[in-house]
Amino acid sequence: MHKIKHVCFDLDGTLIDSYQTIYNTTIKTLHHLKIEEPLTESEFQKRIGHHFIHIFNDLAIPVPDIEEFIDIYKSYYFDFIDSSVLYPGIPEVLNELKHNEIKISLLTTKGQDQADKIIDHFDLRKFFNYVMGRRPDMEIKPSPQSLHFICNELMIEEYRTIIVGDTEIDIHCGKNAGAYSCAVTYGYRSEEFLKAENPDFILHDINGILKIIKDFKEISS
C-alpha cells in the first residue's frame, strides 16, 4: 500500500446535504418549462449524482432541451440554497487533511460555475487545491478522464489518490482511474447498495477518512 497524498471529494451527498435544494430547484424548473410529469422525491433521490439528461431519460420525463433546463435550473438554485447544509465535521476534516499536507480536490457533475459558487458560499475554497465541475471538454464521472486530469494538475499519481463519494459513480470513477474508492453511507445511497459496488472503503462518518490516511501512512513507512 502506498502513502495517500491526495483526497478527491464529491460534493452533493458527501460534503453538502443539498438534496432539498436540488429537488426544489428541479421542480421549480420543470414548472417553469411547463413540464408537469410527476417527480417523486424517493425516485429522484436514488439518482442524484447523475447528469440530468440521464435522470430524466431514466424516469421518462420529457425535457426537450436539456441545456435550457440547466440554464434555468442554475438561475433558481440559490433561491433554495438555505436548505443546504454542510455535513457535520466537514470543515474540521478538510482542515486536518490540509494541515497534514494532503492535497484536496473536488470533483462534481455540477457545472464548473455552479461548483465554484457553492464552494465559495460555504467558505470551503481555502481548503481545496483544485475544484473541478462539469466542463464541455471533459467526460463526467464515472469516466476516469476528469480524475486523471486532476491528478496530473496536482502532480500526484492515481494510486496515491482516494476518491470519496456517496454514489456508485464515484466508486466507479475511482476504480476506472486506478485510484482507491471510499463510499460514505450518510449521503444519497444506502449502505447495502454501496457495498454491492465494492468500494475499497465504506465510512459512516467523514472523520473516518483521517484514520484511513493514517493507516496508509503507517503501512507504507
Side-chain angles (χ1 to χ4, degrees), residues 26 59-60 66 70 72 95 99 105 126 137 174 195 203 209:
T26 301
L59 296 175
I66 195 67
I70 291 171
I72 296 169
N95 187 61
H99 177 74
S105 68
K126 60 194 174 215
D137 58 342
K195 282 183 175 178
L203 294 179
I209 191 64

Side-chain angles (χ1 to χ4, degrees), residues 43-59:
E43 287 301 310
F44 185 67
Q45 185 166 346
K46 295 175 187 176
R47 294 165 173 84
I48 287 185
H50 291 277
H51 192 287
F52 274 117
I53 193 169
H54 302 305
I55 293 174
F56 293 143
N57 285 343
D58 197 26
L59 296 175

Side-chain angles (χ1 to χ4, degrees), residues 4 10 37 89:
I4 294 295
D10 174 50
E37 295 292 327

Side-chain angles (χ1 to χ4, degrees), residues 153-172:
E153 288 292 299
L154 298 179
M155 295 185 289
I156 293 177
E157 302 91 340
E158 285 80 356
Y159 62 80
R160 297 186 185 275
T161 293
I162 185 166
I163 184 170
V164 181
D166 69 305
T167 75
E168 67 281 7
I169 64 172
D170 303 299
I171 297 169
H172 296 167

Side-chain angles (χ1 to χ4, degrees), residues 140-218:
I140 60 174
K141 299 180 288 186
S143 166
Q145 185 182 18
S146 50
L147 186 52
H148 285 316
F149 181 87
I150 293 172
C151 289
N152 184 64
E153 288 292 299
L154 298 179
M155 295 185 289
I156 293 177
E157 302 91 340
E158 285 80 356
Y159 62 80
R160 297 186 185 275
T161 293
I162 185 166
I163 184 170
V164 181
D166 69 305
T167 75
E168 67 281 7
I169 64 172
D170 303 299
I171 297 169
H172 296 167
C173 178
K175 290 180 180 294
N176 292 337
Y180 290 97
S181 59
C182 178
V184 296
T185 61
Y186 55 76
Y188 305 135
R189 302 290 190 272
S190 69
E191 181 178 356
E192 181 182 13
F193 179 90
L194 293 169
K195 282 183 175 178
E197 301 298 324
N198 296 310
D200 295 297
F201 303 95
I202 292 183
L203 294 179
H204 305 294
D205 185 319
I206 195 60
N207 287 282
I209 191 64
L210 301 176
K211 185 178 186 305
I212 291 173
I213 299 295
K214 181 181 178 183
D215 289 346
F216 268 87
K217 182 179 181 180
E218 290 176 352

